[in-house]
Amino acid sequence: MGKKDSINILGDHIKLPPYADFPNIEGEIISLRQIAKADLEDIIGISFYDAIQATTAEIAGEMQAKIDNDYREGNTIHWGIVENSTGKITGTCGYYRGFENAEGELGCVLLPQYRGKGFMTIAMQLAINFGLNSMGLKRIRASTTAQNFSAISLLERLRFIRVVELGNDVIEYELRIQKNS
């Protein structure tokens, strides 16, 4: 028997990966979709697994295979960020660690030529909405280094609050979920 795709935590229904159909999310300017083999050459510079960066399309493919396996095991969901007008992959984002206690850690990376265009803000908003409304997450976390001022600015624009310094110059942020009463 495989892992259940939904669990009940304190009376709340949480729907976790994998899904019957991979959830592609369309926005006006960018969309989030599953990464295909044809995308690997374009994302070598932003392909990471266990903090190791790919240096070739072959290594990026091996990393993507691990990410796909993590998705099938219900531990992650990883999207390519696609510019709708060109169909090009501009970056990646997703929930990369842990769904214990209805929590998810959101991460993102953008190719340098697409920075400063608002793509990551939109991508993160789409991923946050999916995490809250489709997955039922109750807490969303994100971590970055103290020197990554762009990431810090992004997280603060998205209303994440700095919660703790984790060591090695890493800071954890949390999105405070507003409860409707």
Side-chain angles (χ1 to χ4, degrees):
M1 180 177 217
K3 180 180 177 188
K4 291 184 179 180
D5 68 352
S6 64
I7 57 177
N8 200 346
I9 297 177
L10 301 175
D12 294 324
H13 186 70
I14 309 300
K15 184 156 178 47
L16 300 177
Y19 304 102
D21 294 312
F22 190 92
N24 296 319
I25 306 167
E26 293 195 27
E28 286 185 39
I29 297 169
I30 61 106
S31 295
L32 305 181
R33 70 161 170 81
Q34 190 169 25
I35 294 174
K37 188 173 183 176
D39 300 320
L40 295 176
E41 193 70 40
D42 294 332
I43 63 168
I44 293 169
I46 58 169
S47 291
F48 292 87
Y49 193 88
D50 285 340
I52 298 170
Q53 183 176 2
T55 54
T56 66
E58 181 181 350
I59 294 171
E62 292 169 4
M63 290 177 171
Q64 188 60 45
K66 290 178 183 178
I67 291 167
D68 291 344
N69 188 59
D70 289 344
Y71 169 76
R72 285 189 298 274
E73 291 180 356
N75 299 318
T76 187
I77 185 161
H78 178 77
W79 291 282
I81 302 167
V82 179
E83 182 179 27
N84 291 342
S85 64
T86 65
K88 296 263 186 205
I89 291 274
T90 64
T92 61
C93 74
Y95 292 96
Y96 296 105
R97 276 181 274 287
F99 294 123
E100 299 85 22
N101 302 315
E103 298 178 4
E105 183 175 341
L106 190 57
C108 59
V109 63
L110 199 63
L111 288 165
Q113 64 268 34
Y114 296 101
R115 294 179 185 155
K117 297 182 178 195
F119 289 0
M120 191 55 74
T121 300
I122 297 166
M124 292 285 279
Q125 287 171 330
L126 292 171
I128 289 166
N129 288 340
F130 183 83
L132 297 175
N133 301 321
S134 296
M135 296 173 74
L137 297 179
K138 303 299 176 205
R139 180 176 184 237
I140 298 175
R141 295 174 287 120
S143 298
T144 190
T145 63
Q147 292 78 34
N148 192 340
F149 301 115
S150 295
I152 291 168
S153 177
L154 170 68
L155 293 171
E156 289 175 351
R157 268 194 318 278
L158 294 170
R159 302 182 196 267
F160 279 76
I161 302 196
R162 181 181 181 145
V163 290
V164 68
E165 292 186 30
L166 299 173
N168 293 330
D169 215 23
V170 175
I171 305 166
E172 182 176 282
Y173 285 78
E174 176 182 325
L175 181 65
R176 299 291 167 112
I177 311 301
Q178 298 294 323
K179 301 281 186 193
N180 292 334
S181 311

CSV table of all heavy atoms in Angstrom, one decimal, residues 11-71:
chain,number,residue,atom,x,y,z
A,11,GLY,N,-7.7,17.6,13.2
A,11,GLY,CA,-9.0,17.9,12.5
A,11,GLY,C,-8.9,18.7,11.2
A,11,GLY,O,-9.9,18.9,10.6
A,12,ASP,N,-7.7,19.0,10.8
A,12,ASP,CA,-7.5,19.7,9.5
A,12,ASP,C,-7.1,18.8,8.4
A,12,ASP,O,-6.2,17.9,8.7
A,12,ASP,CB,-6.4,20.8,9.6
A,12,ASP,CG,-6.8,21.9,10.6
A,12,ASP,OD1,-8.0,22.3,10.6
A,12,ASP,OD2,-5.9,22.5,11.3
A,13,HIS,N,-7.7,18.9,7.3
A,13,HIS,CA,-7.4,18.0,6.1
A,13,HIS,C,-6.2,18.6,5.4
A,13,HIS,O,-6.2,19.7,4.9
A,13,HIS,CB,-8.6,17.9,5.2
A,13,HIS,CG,-8.4,16.9,4.1
A,13,HIS,ND1,-8.3,15.6,4.4
A,13,HIS,CD2,-8.2,17.1,2.8
A,13,HIS,CE1,-8.2,14.9,3.2
A,13,HIS,NE2,-8.1,15.8,2.3
A,14,ILE,N,-5.1,17.8,5.3
A,14,ILE,CA,-3.9,18.2,4.6
A,14,ILE,C,-3.7,17.3,3.4
A,14,ILE,O,-3.7,16.1,3.5
A,14,ILE,CB,-2.7,18.1,5.5
A,14,ILE,CG1,-2.9,18.7,6.8
A,14,ILE,CG2,-1.4,18.6,4.8
A,14,ILE,CD1,-3.2,20.2,6.8
A,15,LYS,N,-3.6,17.9,2.2
A,15,LYS,CA,-3.4,17.1,0.9
A,15,LYS,C,-2.0,17.3,0.4
A,15,LYS,O,-1.6,18.4,0.0
A,15,LYS,CB,-4.4,17.6,-0.1
A,15,LYS,CG,-4.3,16.7,-1.4
A,15,LYS,CD,-5.6,16.8,-2.2
A,15,LYS,CE,-5.5,16.0,-3.4
A,15,LYS,NZ,-5.0,14.7,-3.4
A,16,LEU,N,-1.2,16.2,0.5
A,16,LEU,CA,0.2,16.3,0.2
A,16,LEU,C,0.5,15.6,-1.1
A,16,LEU,O,-0.3,14.7,-1.5
A,16,LEU,CB,1.0,15.6,1.4
A,16,LEU,CG,0.8,16.3,2.7
A,16,LEU,CD1,1.6,15.5,3.8
A,16,LEU,CD2,1.3,17.7,2.7
A,17,PRO,N,1.6,15.9,-1.7
A,17,PRO,CA,2.1,15.2,-2.9
A,17,PRO,C,2.3,13.7,-2.6
A,17,PRO,O,2.6,13.4,-1.4
A,17,PRO,CB,3.4,15.8,-3.3
A,17,PRO,CG,3.5,17.0,-2.4
A,17,PRO,CD,2.6,16.9,-1.3
A,18,PRO,N,2.3,12.8,-3.6
A,18,PRO,CA,2.1,13.1,-5.0
A,18,PRO,C,0.6,13.2,-5.3
A,18,PRO,O,-0.2,12.7,-4.6
A,18,PRO,CB,2.7,12.0,-5.7
A,18,PRO,CG,2.6,10.8,-4.7
A,18,PRO,CD,2.7,11.4,-3.4
A,19,TYR,N,0.3,13.9,-6.4
A,19,TYR,CA,-1.1,14.1,-6.9
A,19,TYR,C,-1.3,13.3,-8.1
A,19,TYR,O,-0.4,12.9,-8.8
A,19,TYR,CB,-1.3,15.6,-7.2
A,19,TYR,CG,-1.0,16.5,-6.0
A,19,TYR,CD1,0.2,17.2,-5.9
A,19,TYR,CD2,-1.9,16.5,-4.9
A,19,TYR,CE1,0.5,18.0,-4.8
A,19,TYR,CE2,-1.6,17.3,-3.8
A,19,TYR,CZ,-0.4,18.0,-3.8
A,19,TYR,OH,-0.1,18.8,-2.7
A,20,ALA,N,-2.6,13.0,-8.4
A,20,ALA,CA,-2.9,12.2,-9.6
A,20,ALA,C,-2.4,12.9,-10.8
A,20,ALA,O,-1.8,12.2,-11.7
A,20,ALA,CB,-4.4,12.0,-9.7
A,21,ASP,N,-2.5,14.2,-10.9
A,21,ASP,CA,-1.9,15.0,-12.0
A,21,ASP,C,-1.0,16.0,-11.3
A,21,ASP,O,-1.4,16.7,-10.4
A,21,ASP,CB,-3.0,15.7,-12.8
A,21,ASP,CG,-3.9,14.7,-13.5
A,21,ASP,OD1,-3.3,13.8,-14.2
A,21,ASP,OD2,-5.1,14.8,-13.4
A,22,PHE,N,0.2,16.2,-11.9
A,22,PHE,CA,1.1,17.2,-11.3
A,22,PHE,C,0.5,18.5,-11.4
A,22,PHE,O,0.0,18.9,-12.5
A,22,PHE,CB,2.5,17.2,-12.1
A,22,PHE,CG,3.5,18.0,-11.4
A,22,PHE,CD1,4.4,17.4,-10.5
A,22,PHE,CD2,3.6,19.4,-11.7
A,22,PHE,CE1,5.3,18.2,-9.9
A,22,PHE,CE2,4.6,20.2,-11.1
A,22,PHE,CZ,5.4,19.6,-10.2
A,23,PRO,N,0.4,19.3,-10.3
A,23,PRO,CA,-0.3,20.6,-10.4
A,23,PRO,C,0.5,21.7,-11.0
A,23,PRO,O,1.5,22.3,-10.5
A,23,PRO,CB,-0.4,20.9,-8.9
A,23,PRO,CG,0.7,20.2,-8.2
A,23,PRO,CD,0.9,19.0,-9.0
A,24,ASN,N,0.2,22.0,-12.3
A,24,ASN,CA,0.7,23.1,-13.0
A,24,ASN,C,-0.1,24.3,-12.6
A,24,ASN,O,-1.4,24.2,-12.6
A,24,ASN,CB,0.8,22.9,-14.5
A,24,ASN,CG,1.7,21.7,-14.8
A,24,ASN,OD1,2.8,21.6,-14.2
A,24,ASN,ND2,1.3,20.9,-15.7
A,25,ILE,N,0.5,25.5,-12.4
A,25,ILE,CA,-0.3,26.7,-11.9
A,25,ILE,C,0.0,27.8,-12.9
A,25,ILE,O,1.1,28.2,-13.1
A,25,ILE,CB,0.2,27.1,-10.5
A,25,ILE,CG1,0.1,25.9,-9.5
A,25,ILE,CG2,-0.6,28.2,-10.0
A,25,ILE,CD1,0.8,26.1,-8.2
A,26,GLU,N,-1.1,28.3,-13.4
A,26,GLU,CA,-1.0,29.4,-14.4
A,26,GLU,C,-1.2,30.8,-13.8
A,26,GLU,O,-2.2,31.0,-13.1
A,26,GLU,CB,-1.9,29.2,-15.6
A,26,GLU,CG,-1.6,27.9,-16.4
A,26,GLU,CD,-2.3,27.9,-17.7
A,26,GLU,OE1,-2.6,29.0,-18.2
A,26,GLU,OE2,-2.4,26.8,-18.2
A,27,GLY,N,-0.3,31.7,-14.1
A,27,GLY,CA,-0.5,33.1,-13.7
A,27,GLY,C,-0.5,33.9,-15.0
A,27,GLY,O,-0.3,33.4,-16.1
A,28,GLU,N,-0.7,35.2,-14.9
A,28,GLU,CA,-0.8,36.0,-16.0
A,28,GLU,C,0.6,36.2,-16.7
A,28,GLU,O,0.6,36.2,-18.0
A,28,GLU,CB,-1.3,37.4,-15.7
A,28,GLU,CG,-2.8,37.5,-15.4
A,28,GLU,CD,-3.3,38.9,-15.1
A,28,GLU,OE1,-2.8,39.8,-15.8
A,28,GLU,OE2,-4.1,39.0,-14.2
A,29,ILE,N,1.6,36.4,-16.0
A,29,ILE,CA,3.0,36.7,-16.5
A,29,ILE,C,3.8,35.4,-16.5
A,29,ILE,O,4.6,35.2,-17.5
A,29,ILE,CB,3.6,37.8,-15.8
A,29,ILE,CG1,2.8,39.1,-15.9
A,29,ILE,CG2,5.1,38.0,-16.3
A,29,ILE,CD1,3.2,40.2,-15.0
A,30,ILE,N,3.8,34.7,-15.5
A,30,ILE,CA,4.6,33.5,-15.3
A,30,ILE,C,3.6,32.3,-14.9
A,30,ILE,O,2.5,32.6,-14.3
A,30,ILE,CB,5.7,33.6,-14.3
A,30,ILE,CG1,5.3,33.9,-12.9
A,30,ILE,CG2,6.7,34.6,-14.8
A,30,ILE,CD1,5.4,32.8,-12.0
A,31,SER,N,4.1,31.1,-15.1
A,31,SER,CA,3.4,29.9,-14.6
A,31,SER,C,4.4,29.0,-14.0
A,31,SER,O,5.6,29.1,-14.2
A,31,SER,CB,2.7,29.2,-15.8
A,31,SER,OG,1.7,30.0,-16.4
A,32,LEU,N,3.8,28.1,-13.1
A,32,LEU,CA,4.7,27.1,-12.5
A,32,LEU,C,4.3,25.8,-13.1
A,32,LEU,O,3.1,25.4,-13.2
A,32,LEU,CB,4.4,27.0,-11.0
A,32,LEU,CG,4.6,28.3,-10.2
A,32,LEU,CD1,4.3,28.1,-8.7
A,32,LEU,CD2,6.0,28.9,-10.4
A,33,ARG,N,5.3,25.0,-13.6
A,33,ARG,CA,5.0,23.7,-14.2
A,33,ARG,C,6.1,22.7,-13.9
A,33,ARG,O,7.2,23.1,-13.5
A,33,ARG,CB,4.8,23.9,-15.7
A,33,ARG,CG,6.1,24.2,-16.5
A,33,ARG,CD,5.9,23.8,-17.9
A,33,ARG,NE,7.0,24.3,-18.8
A,33,ARG,CZ,8.2,23.7,-18.9
A,33,ARG,NH1,8.5,22.7,-18.2
A,33,ARG,NH2,9.1,24.3,-19.7
A,34,GLN,N,5.8,21.5,-14.1
A,34,GLN,CA,6.7,20.4,-13.9
A,34,GLN,C,7.9,20.6,-14.8
A,34,GLN,O,7.8,21.0,-16.0
A,34,GLN,CB,6.1,19.1,-14.2
A,34,GLN,CG,6.9,17.9,-13.7
A,34,GLN,CD,6.1,16.6,-13.7
A,34,GLN,OE1,5.1,16.5,-14.4
A,34,GLN,NE2,6.5,15.6,-12.9
A,35,ILE,N,9.1,20.4,-14.3
A,35,ILE,CA,10.3,20.5,-15.2
A,35,ILE,C,10.5,19.2,-16.0
A,35,ILE,O,10.3,18.1,-15.6
A,35,ILE,CB,11.5,20.7,-14.3
A,35,ILE,CG1,11.4,22.0,-13.5
A,35,ILE,CG2,12.8,20.6,-15.1
A,35,ILE,CD1,12.5,22.3,-12.5
A,36,ALA,N,10.7,19.5,-17.3
A,36,ALA,CA,10.9,18.4,-18.3
A,36,ALA,C,12.3,18.2,-18.7
A,36,ALA,O,13.2,19.1,-18.4
A,36,ALA,CB,10.1,18.8,-19.6
A,37,LYS,N,12.7,17.1,-19.2
A,37,LYS,CA,14.0,16.8,-19.7
A,37,LYS,C,14.6,17.9,-20.6
A,37,LYS,O,15.7,18.3,-20.5
A,37,LYS,CB,14.1,15.4,-20.3
A,37,LYS,CG,15.5,15.0,-20.6
A,37,LYS,CD,15.5,13.5,-21.1
A,37,LYS,CE,16.9,13.1,-21.3
A,37,LYS,NZ,17.0,11.7,-21.8
A,38,ALA,N,13.7,18.4,-21.4
A,38,ALA,CA,14.1,19.5,-22.4
A,38,ALA,C,14.5,20.8,-21.7
A,38,ALA,O,15.2,21.6,-22.3
A,38,ALA,CB,13.0,19.8,-23.3
A,39,ASP,N,14.2,20.9,-20.4
A,39,ASP,CA,14.5,22.1,-19.6
A,39,ASP,C,15.9,22.1,-19.0
A,39,ASP,O,16.4,23.1,-18.6
A,39,ASP,CB,13.5,22.4,-18.5
A,39,ASP,CG,12.1,22.5,-19.0
A,39,ASP,OD1,11.9,23.2,-20.0
A,39,ASP,OD2,11.2,22.0,-18.3
A,40,LEU,N,16.5,20.9,-18.9
A,40,LEU,CA,17.7,20.7,-18.1
A,40,LEU,C,18.8,21.6,-18.5
A,40,LEU,O,19.5,22.2,-17.7
A,40,LEU,CB,18.1,19.2,-18.0
A,40,LEU,CG,17.1,18.3,-17.4
A,40,LEU,CD1,17.5,16.9,-17.5
A,40,LEU,CD2,16.8,18.7,-15.9
A,41,GLU,N,19.1,21.7,-19.8
A,41,GLU,CA,20.2,22.5,-20.3
A,41,GLU,C,20.0,24.0,-19.8
A,41,GLU,O,21.0,24.6,-19.5
A,41,GLU,CB,20.2,22.5,-21.8
A,41,GLU,CG,21.5,23.0,-22.5
A,41,GLU,CD,22.7,22.1,-22.2
A,41,GLU,OE1,22.6,20.9,-22.3
A,41,GLU,OE2,23.8,22.7,-22.0
A,42,ASP,N,18.8,24.5,-19.8
A,42,ASP,CA,18.6,25.9,-19.4
A,42,ASP,C,18.7,26.1,-17.9
A,42,ASP,O,18.9,27.3,-17.5
A,42,ASP,CB,17.2,26.3,-19.8
A,42,ASP,CG,17.0,26.3,-21.3
A,42,ASP,OD1,18.0,26.6,-22.0
A,42,ASP,OD2,15.9,26.1,-21.8
A,43,ILE,N,18.7,25.1,-17.1
A,43,ILE,CA,18.7,25.3,-15.6
A,43,ILE,C,19.9,24.7,-14.9
A,43,ILE,O,19.9,24.6,-13.7
A,43,ILE,CB,17.4,24.8,-15.0
A,43,ILE,CG1,17.3,23.3,-15.1
A,43,ILE,CG2,16.2,25.5,-15.5
A,43,ILE,CD1,16.2,22.7,-14.3
A,44,ILE,N,21.0,24.4,-15.7
A,44,ILE,CA,22.2,23.9,-15.1
A,44,ILE,C,22.7,24.8,-14.0
A,44,ILE,O,23.0,24.3,-12.9
A,44,ILE,CB,23.3,23.7,-16.1
A,44,ILE,CG1,22.9,22.6,-17.1
A,44,ILE,CG2,24.6,23.3,-15.4
A,44,ILE,CD1,23.8,22.5,-18.3
A,45,GLY,N,22.7,26.1,-14.2
A,45,GLY,CA,23.3,27.0,-13.2
A,45,GLY,C,22.4,27.2,-12.0
A,45,GLY,O,22.9,27.7,-11.0
A,46,ILE,N,21.2,26.7,-12.0
A,46,ILE,CA,20.3,26.9,-10.8
A,46,ILE,C,19.8,25.5,-10.3
A,46,ILE,O,18.9,25.5,-9.5
A,46,ILE,CB,19.2,27.8,-11.1
A,46,ILE,CG1,18.3,27.4,-12.3
A,46,ILE,CG2,19.7,29.3,-11.2
A,46,ILE,CD1,17.0,28.2,-12.4
A,47,SER,N,20.5,24.4,-10.8
A,47,SER,CA,20.1,23.1,-10.3
A,47,SER,C,20.9,22.7,-9.1
A,47,SER,O,22.1,22.7,-9.2
A,47,SER,CB,20.3,22.1,-11.4
A,47,SER,OG,19.4,22.3,-12.5
A,48,PHE,N,20.2,22.5,-8.0
A,48,PHE,CA,20.9,22.1,-6.8
A,48,PHE,C,20.2,20.9,-6.2
A,48,PHE,O,19.0,20.7,-6.3
A,48,PHE,CB,20.8,23.2,-5.7
A,48,PHE,CG,21.6,24.5,-6.1
A,48,PHE,CD1,21.0,25.5,-6.9
A,48,PHE,CD2,22.9,24.6,-5.6
A,48,PHE,CE1,21.7,26.6,-7.2
A,48,PHE,CE2,23.6,25.8,-6.0
A,48,PHE,CZ,23.0,26.8,-6.8
A,49,TYR,N,21.0,20.1,-5.5
A,49,TYR,CA,20.4,19.0,-4.7
A,49,TYR,C,21.4,18.8,-3.5
A,49,TYR,O,22.6,18.7,-3.7
A,49,TYR,CB,20.2,17.7,-5.5
A,49,TYR,CG,19.4,16.7,-4.7
A,49,TYR,CD1,18.0,16.7,-4.9
A,49,TYR,CD2,19.9,15.8,-3.9
A,49,TYR,CE1,17.2,15.8,-4.2
A,49,TYR,CE2,19.1,14.9,-3.2
A,49,TYR,CZ,17.8,14.9,-3.3
A,49,TYR,OH,17.0,14.0,-2.6
A,50,ASP,N,20.9,18.8,-2.3
A,50,ASP,CA,21.7,18.7,-1.1
A,50,ASP,C,22.8,19.7,-1.1
A,50,ASP,O,24.0,19.5,-0.8
A,50,ASP,CB,22.3,17.3,-0.9
A,50,ASP,CG,21.3,16.3,-0.5
A,50,ASP,OD1,20.2,16.7,0.1
A,50,ASP,OD2,21.5,15.1,-0.6
A,51,ALA,N,22.5,21.0,-1.5
A,51,ALA,CA,23.4,22.1,-1.5
A,51,ALA,C,24.6,22.0,-2.5
A,51,ALA,O,25.5,22.7,-2.4
A,51,ALA,CB,23.9,22.4,-0.1
A,52,ILE,N,24.5,21.0,-3.4
A,52,ILE,CA,25.5,20.9,-4.5
A,52,ILE,C,24.9,21.3,-5.8
A,52,ILE,O,23.7,21.0,-6.1
A,52,ILE,CB,25.9,19.4,-4.6
A,52,ILE,CG1,26.6,19.0,-3.3
A,52,ILE,CG2,26.9,19.2,-5.8
A,52,ILE,CD1,26.8,17.5,-3.1
A,53,GLN,N,25.6,22.2,-6.5
A,53,GLN,CA,25.2,22.7,-7.8
A,53,GLN,C,25.6,21.8,-9.0
A,53,GLN,O,26.7,21.4,-9.0
A,53,GLN,CB,25.7,24.1,-8.0
A,53,GLN,CG,25.2,24.8,-9.2
A,53,GLN,CD,25.7,26.2,-9.3
A,53,GLN,OE1,26.4,26.7,-8.5
A,53,GLN,NE2,25.2,26.9,-10.4
A,54,ALA,N,24.7,21.7,-9.9
A,54,ALA,CA,25.0,21.0,-11.1
A,54,ALA,C,26.0,21.8,-12.0
A,54,ALA,O,26.0,23.0,-12.0
A,54,ALA,CB,23.7,20.7,-11.9
A,55,THR,N,26.8,21.0,-12.7
A,55,THR,CA,27.8,21.7,-13.6
A,55,THR,C,27.5,21.2,-15.1
A,55,THR,O,28.1,21.8,-16.0
A,55,THR,CB,29.2,21.4,-13.2
A,55,THR,OG1,29.4,20.0,-13.1
A,55,THR,CG2,29.5,22.0,-11.9
A,56,THR,N,26.7,20.2,-15.3
A,56,THR,CA,26.4,19.7,-16.6
A,56,THR,C,24.9,19.4,-16.7
A,56,THR,O,24.3,19.2,-15.6
A,56,THR,CB,27.2,18.5,-17.0
A,56,THR,OG1,26.8,17.4,-16.1
A,56,THR,CG2,28.7,18.7,-16.8
A,57,ALA,N,24.4,19.2,-17.9
A,57,ALA,CA,23.1,18.8,-18.1
A,57,ALA,C,22.9,17.4,-17.5
A,57,ALA,O,21.8,17.1,-17.0
A,57,ALA,CB,22.7,18.9,-19.6
A,58,GLU,N,23.9,16.6,-17.6
A,58,GLU,CA,23.8,15.2,-17.1
A,58,GLU,C,23.6,15.2,-15.6
A,58,GLU,O,22.7,14.5,-15.0
A,58,GLU,CB,25.0,14.4,-17.5
A,58,GLU,CG,24.9,12.9,-17.0
A,58,GLU,CD,26.2,12.2,-17.3
A,58,GLU,OE1,27.0,12.6,-18.1
A,58,GLU,OE2,26.3,11.0,-16.8
A,59,ILE,N,24.4,16.0,-14.9
A,59,ILE,CA,24.3,16.1,-13.5
A,59,ILE,C,22.9,16.8,-13.1
A,59,ILE,O,22.3,16.3,-12.1
A,59,ILE,CB,25.5,16.9,-12.9
A,59,ILE,CG1,26.7,16.1,-13.1
A,59,ILE,CG2,25.2,17.2,-11.4
A,59,ILE,CD1,28.0,16.9,-12.7
A,60,ALA,N,22.5,17.8,-13.8
A,60,ALA,CA,21.2,18.4,-13.6
A,60,ALA,C,20.1,17.4,-13.7
A,60,ALA,O,19.1,17.3,-13.0
A,60,ALA,CB,21.0,19.6,-14.5
A,61,GLY,N,20.2,16.5,-14.7
A,61,GLY,CA,19.3,15.4,-14.9
A,61,GLY,C,19.2,14.4,-13.7
A,61,GLY,O,18.2,14.0,-13.3
A,62,GLU,N,20.4,14.1,-13.2
A,62,GLU,CA,20.5,13.2,-12.1
A,62,GLU,C,19.8,13.8,-10.9
A,62,GLU,O,19.1,13.2,-10.1
A,62,GLU,CB,21.9,12.8,-11.8
A,62,GLU,CG,22.6,12.0,-12.8
A,62,GLU,CD,24.1,11.8,-12.7
A,62,GLU,OE1,24.7,12.4,-11.7
A,62,GLU,OE2,24.7,11.2,-13.6
A,63,MET,N,20.1,15.1,-10.7
A,63,MET,CA,19.5,15.9,-9.6
A,63,MET,C,18.0,15.9,-9.7
A,63,MET,O,17.2,15.7,-8.8
A,63,MET,CB,20.1,17.3,-9.5
A,63,MET,CG,21.5,17.3,-9.0
A,63,MET,SD,22.1,19.0,-9.0
A,63,MET,CE,23.7,18.7,-8.2
A,64,GLN,N,17.5,16.2,-11.0
A,64,GLN,CA,16.1,16.3,-11.2
A,64,GLN,C,15.4,14.9,-10.9
A,64,GLN,O,14.3,14.9,-10.4
A,64,GLN,CB,15.8,16.8,-12.6
A,64,GLN,CG,14.3,17.0,-12.9
A,64,GLN,CD,13.7,18.1,-12.0
A,64,GLN,OE1,14.3,19.2,-11.8
A,64,GLN,NE2,12.6,17.9,-11.4
A,65,ALA,N,16.1,13.8,-11.3
A,65,ALA,CA,15.6,12.5,-11.0
A,65,ALA,C,15.4,12.3,-9.5
A,65,ALA,O,14.4,11.7,-9.1
A,65,ALA,CB,16.5,11.4,-11.6
A,66,LYS,N,16.3,12.8,-8.7
A,66,LYS,CA,16.2,12.7,-7.2
A,66,LYS,C,15.0,13.5,-6.7
A,66,LYS,O,14.3,13.1,-5.9
A,66,LYS,CB,17.5,13.1,-6.6
A,66,LYS,CG,18.6,12.2,-6.8
A,66,LYS,CD,19.9,12.7,-6.1
A,66,LYS,CE,21.1,11.8,-6.3
A,66,LYS,NZ,22.3,12.4,-5.7
A,67,ILE,N,14.9,14.8,-7.3
A,67,ILE,CA,13.8,15.6,-6.9
A,67,ILE,C,12.4,15.0,-7.3
A,67,ILE,O,11.5,15.0,-6.5
A,67,ILE,CB,13.9,17.0,-7.6
A,67,ILE,CG1,15.1,17.8,-7.0
A,67,ILE,CG2,12.7,17.9,-7.5
A,67,ILE,CD1,15.6,19.0,-7.8
A,68,ASP,N,12.4,14.4,-8.5
A,68,ASP,CA,11.2,13.7,-8.9
A,68,ASP,C,10.8,12.5,-8.0
A,68,ASP,O,9.7,12.3,-7.7
A,68,ASP,CB,11.3,13.2,-10.4
A,68,ASP,CG,11.3,14.3,-11.4
A,68,ASP,OD1,10.9,15.5,-11.1
A,68,ASP,OD2,11.7,14.1,-12.5
A,69,ASN,N,11.8,11.8,-7.6
A,69,ASN,CA,11.6,10.7,-6.6
A,69,ASN,C,11.1,11.2,-5.3
A,69,ASN,O,10.2,10.6,-4.7
A,69,ASN,CB,12.9,9.9,-6.5
A,69,ASN,CG,12.7,8.6,-5.6
A,69,ASN,OD1,11.9,7.8,-6.0
A,69,ASN,ND2,13.3,8.5,-4.5
A,70,ASP,N,11.7,12.3,-4.8
A,70,ASP,CA,11.3,13.0,-3.6
A,70,ASP,C,9.8,13.3,-3.7
A,70,ASP,O,9.0,13.2,-2.7
A,70,ASP,CB,12.1,14.2,-3.2
A,70,ASP,CG,13.5,13.9,-2.8
A,70,ASP,OD1,13.8,12.7,-2.5
A,70,ASP,OD2,14.3,14.8,-2.8
A,71,TYR,N,9.4,13.8,-4.9
A,71,TYR,CA,8.0,14.2,-5.1
A,71,TYR,C,7.1,12.9,-5.0
A,71,TYR,O,6.1,12.9,-4.3
A,71,TYR,CB,7.8,14.9,-6.5
A,71,TYR,CG,6.4,15.0,-6.9
A,71,TYR,CD1,5.6,16.0,-6.3
A,71,TYR,CD2,5.8,14.2,-7.8
A,71,TYR,CE1,4.2,16.1,-6.7
A,71,TYR,CE2,4.5,14.3,-8.2
A,71,TYR,CZ,3.7,15.3,-7.6
A,71,TYR,OH,2.4,15.4,-8.0
